[in-house]
Amino acid sequence: MYNNLITIGNFTIHGYGLMIGIGIIAAWVVAEKRAGSLGLDTNRLWYMTICVLVFGWVSAKILYYITEIPAIIENPRILLDFANGFVVYGGIIGGLLSGLIYCRRHKISFLEYADLMLPSVALAQGFGRIGCFLAGCCYGVETSSPFHLVFHNSEFAPNGVPLVPTELISSGLNFLNFAVLLLIARRKPRHGTVVVCYLLFYSVGRFIIEFFRGDLIRGAVGPLSTSQFISIWVFAAALIILIGMNRKSRQKAAE
């Protein structure tokens, strides 16, 4: 709940950035270890990870700009703020597309590498939401429930008000997603299963948590937030793909 953790002169270590960094390192360590056990090329994984991070960041920023078009028209200087304002779904979509392009260019299996990386993505997101908690962004609605948190030094969340701890709930859900995806991966399912399960689990959790978010700068599509609207389509697409994969597996087993 204190974003400025350590300050030395003009240099400050921010909790949000620190958690993002820890999340990326933890995600890489897990992915590299699993790549070795699966016989996948760690050098390819490294370059693919860099590609996914860069284009995921850009896509998350672009989707944020899209949701904030009216505000940008009033204040174009928002476009110059590269440190704040991201939409996670933009990063997920951009990351998957850039990973697909990379794999096709280098003629390696996208689904194998995506199955490898998605649990790590969930792990990184778990740490990222702890960063949100420290910074006070992505905060929850005001509540009278004893299960709440109160910010006192946040630049984003209202201070001195009991709020639903959406950041910590989201973090816990992402860590749970990470653990469940690893369990699924250990069963060595059909390629692409881990990817589809990640999308299913994340979209459901994100759709629900959005009802308790109090930060209004997220864009909206009718009565739904931008992320809820995207979640519906992501869930539907992932479910259709999973049903199709299971049908093909049964047909193959019957032959």
Side-chain angles (χ1 to χ4, degrees), residues 168-182:
L168 297 180
I169 295 172
S170 295
S171 178
L173 289 175
N174 282 309
F175 285 135
L176 178 62
N177 196 8
F178 164 69
V180 173
L181 291 176
L182 284 185

Side-chain angles (χ1 to χ4, degrees), residues 51-60 63 87-101 110:
C51 181
V52 167
L53 286 174
V54 171
F55 285 96
W57 183 91
V58 172
S59 299
L63 186 53
V87 177
V88 173
Y89 264 123
I92 294 173
I93 295 171
L96 287 173
L97 288 176
S98 62
L100 175 61
I101 293 171
F110 167 70

Side-chain angles (χ1 to χ4, degrees), residues 6-249:
I6 301 175
T7 299
I8 303 175
N10 294 324
F11 177 74
T12 299
I13 297 178
H14 298 288
Y16 181 81
L18 178 63
M19 287 299 107
I20 293 293
I22 291 175
I24 291 174
I25 293 172
W28 168 254
V29 170
V30 172
E32 184 182 37
K33 182 177 180 180
R34 294 183 61 232
S37 64
L38 294 172
L40 297 179
D41 189 336
T42 54
N43 287 325
R44 290 293 189 200
L45 176 64
W46 170 253
Y47 290 115
M48 184 178 175
T49 299
I50 298 299
C51 181
V52 167
L53 286 174
V54 171
F55 285 96
W57 183 91
V58 172
S59 299
K61 196 67 180 175
I62 289 174
L63 186 53
Y64 170 75
Y65 287 151
I66 292 174
T67 63
E68 289 298 301
I69 289 177
I72 291 172
I73 293 175
E74 292 184 7
N75 181 19
R77 295 186 64 181
I78 292 176
L79 294 170
L80 301 179
D81 184 1
F82 299 114
N84 301 303
F86 299 91
V87 177
V88 173
Y89 264 123
I92 294 173
I93 295 171
L96 287 173
L97 288 176
S98 62
L100 175 61
I101 293 171
Y102 179 89
C103 288
R104 288 198 171 184
R105 181 177 179 182
H106 294 280
K107 298 180 180 179
I108 56 178
S109 172
F110 167 70
L111 291 180
E112 281 191 82
Y113 279 86
D115 279 346
L116 168 66
M117 294 180 68
L118 264 297
S120 289
V121 170
L123 177 62
Q125 287 177 308
F127 283 104
R129 288 305 183 188
I130 295 177
C132 292
F133 165 69
L134 294 175
C137 60
C138 307
Y139 56 88
V141 296
E142 192 171 340
T143 179
S144 59
S145 168
F147 182 59
H148 68 263
L149 58 84
V150 179
F151 291 98
H152 298 286
N153 297 280
S154 175
E155 297 179 5
F156 303 98
N159 292 299
V161 179
L163 305 173
V164 175
T166 49
E167 306 97 330
L168 297 180
I169 295 172
S170 295
S171 178
L173 289 175
N174 282 309
F175 285 135
L176 178 62
N177 196 8
F178 164 69
V180 173
L181 291 176
L182 284 185
L183 290 175
I184 293 173
R186 287 177 182 174
R187 298 179 62 183
K188 300 186 183 302
R190 185 185 182 95
H191 293 323
T193 300
V194 175
V195 177
V196 172
C197 287
Y198 167 85
L199 295 174
L200 284 172
F201 301 154
Y202 181 79
S203 61
V204 171
R206 186 59 188 270
F207 185 88
I208 295 173
I209 202 69
E210 284 287 306
F211 286 113
F212 302 96
R213 288 275 292 268
D215 50 327
L216 300 178
I217 308 177
R218 306 196 312 281
V221 180
L224 302 175
S225 71
T226 301
S227 292
Q228 284 180 317
F229 180 76
I230 296 175
S231 290
I232 292 173
W233 292 100
V234 169
F235 178 84
L239 184 61
I240 291 171
I241 293 172
L242 183 62
I243 292 173
M245 291 171 60
N246 289 335
R247 184 175 298 172
K248 286 184 179 180
S249 296

